[in-house]
Amino acid sequence: MAKFEVLDHPLIQHKLTMIRDKHVGTKVFRETVREIATLMAYEVSRSMPLKDVEVETPIAKTTQKELAGKKVAIVPILRAGLGMVDGMTELIPAAKIGFIGMYRDEKTLKPHEYFVKLPNDITERQLFIVDPMLATGGSAIDAIGALKKRGCQEKNMKFACLVAAPEGVKAVRSTYPDVDIYTCALDDHLNENGYIVPGLGDAGDRLFGTK
Ligand code: PRP
Ligand code: URA
C-alpha cells in the first residue's frame, strides 16, 4: 500500500486555516493556495532519490548529492488544480505540466472529463497530480484512470490536495492502492451536496471568483 500523509507543517496548517475563512476574498485565497502548494512541493518531493556527483568548490574536490530519479510532471485537475501549479513550479521549475479537465455534475456528483493534454514523455516522469479538494474521490479516480490509460504507472503517481474527506481517501486507496496521497487536512465528512465538512467551500469558485 502506498503512502497516505497529512502534512502537518505549522506554516501549511496556519495558511490552510486562513483560507477556510469564508470572508477571505479571491486575491488572498489564490495567493495562499499558491504558497501552500510551494510548501507541499517541498514535502511531496522529500522521497525523491539522490545520486553522488563530483563537484569542485573554490576550495576542494568533493562528492555531493544531486537529484537522480525521474523528472517531474505536475498534472493539475482543472480548474481548481491550476491554483496549485505556480506554487509547485516555484520549487521544481523544470517540471512539465499536463492538464486533465474534469467537472463534477452537481446532482450526480459524477466527474466528467472534458480535456486531456499531457507531455509526450509523461510515462517516463514522476507525476504530482494536484487538486485542492478530494471529496467523493471520483475526480481523482478518473484522473488517475486517464493517466493509466495513457501508459502511466500508479507507482509513479503522487496525488496532492489541500483538504480530503475520509470517503474520498478510502475510494482512491481502494481503487488505486499504489498511488501516494498527500493532504494538508483530513476533514470530517461529506454533506448531502457532496461538499467537504468543514472544508473550505468550492475551491474553483473561490480561486477564480466565479459564482
Ligand atoms: C472540484 C474539485 C475536485 C472535485 C472534487 O472540482 O476541484 O476536482 O470537485 O470532488 P470529488 O472528489 O467528489 O470528485 P469541480 O468539479 O467543482 O470543478 P472546478 O475545479 O472546475 O471548479
Ligand atoms: N469540490 C470543492 O471544491 N469543494 C468541496 O467541498 C467538494 C468538492
Side-chain angles (χ1 to χ4, degrees):
M1 186 63 96
K3 195 177 283 186
F4 170 70
E5 203 172 323
V6 178
L7 303 175
D8 60 359
H9 192 291
L11 288 173
I12 292 180
Q13 293 302 313
H14 178 84
K15 288 172 191 291
L16 179 60
T17 300
M18 280 173 61
I19 57 169
R20 284 185 190 269
D21 185 339
K22 67 178 184 183
H23 299 106
V24 163
T26 299
K27 174 179 183 288
V28 172
F29 190 91
R30 191 183 294 146
E31 286 168 356
T32 310
V33 169
R34 179 190 167 124
E35 288 169 6
I36 295 173
T38 303
L39 295 164
M40 291 186 81
Y42 177 81
E43 298 279 13
V44 173
S45 58
R46 197 177 275 282
S47 57
M48 283 166 86
L50 294 168
K51 65 178 180 196
D52 287 343
V53 286
E54 305 296 315
V55 59
E56 191 170 354
T57 76
I59 310 299
K61 283 188 177 163
T62 174
T63 304
Q64 299 294 333
K65 304 286 182 195
E66 74 173 23
L67 289 171
K70 295 180 188 308
K71 293 184 172 149
V72 171
I74 298 167
V75 182
I77 302 177
L78 309 183
R79 284 177 307 166
L82 279 177
M84 297 172 70
V85 172
D86 287 353
M88 289 224 163
T89 55
E90 198 97 37
L91 283 197
I92 313 171
K96 290 188 178 177
I97 315 293
F99 301 90
I100 299 183
M102 203 83 83
Y103 73 89
R104 219 170 59 139
D105 182 291
E106 283 181 11
K107 289 206 176 66
T108 65
L109 302 182
K110 297 279 175 244
H112 294 271
E113 181 186 300
Y114 59 86
F115 185 69
V116 177
K117 183 74 183 172
L118 302 169
N120 289 336
D121 60 354
I122 191 84
T123 58
E124 312 298 319
R125 289 181 174 258
Q126 166 72 63
L127 307 184
F128 293 177
I129 306 163
V130 296
D131 189 329
M133 311 304 278
L134 177 61
T136 64
S139 303
I141 288 169
D142 280 12
I144 294 165
L147 291 163
K148 284 192 72 170
K149 201 166 91 184
R150 289 162 179 83
C152 300
Q153 292 183 279
E154 278 177 55
K155 66 179 168 66
N156 295 332
M157 299 183 203
K158 294 174 187 292
F159 180 86
C161 62
L162 302 191
V163 183
E167 295 90 329
V169 174
K170 195 171 161 208
V172 175
R173 279 176 85 66
S174 59
T175 313
Y176 295 122
D178 292 331
V179 175
D180 290 332
I181 300 177
Y182 298 83
T183 185
C184 303
L186 183 61
D187 274 11
D188 198 59
H189 65 281
L190 294 177
N191 69 14
E192 60 284 6
N193 299 317
Y195 278 88
I196 301 174
V197 182
L200 49 71
D202 188 307
D205 284 345
R206 296 196 66 192
L207 271 167
F208 299 112
T210 45
K211 205 160 228 174

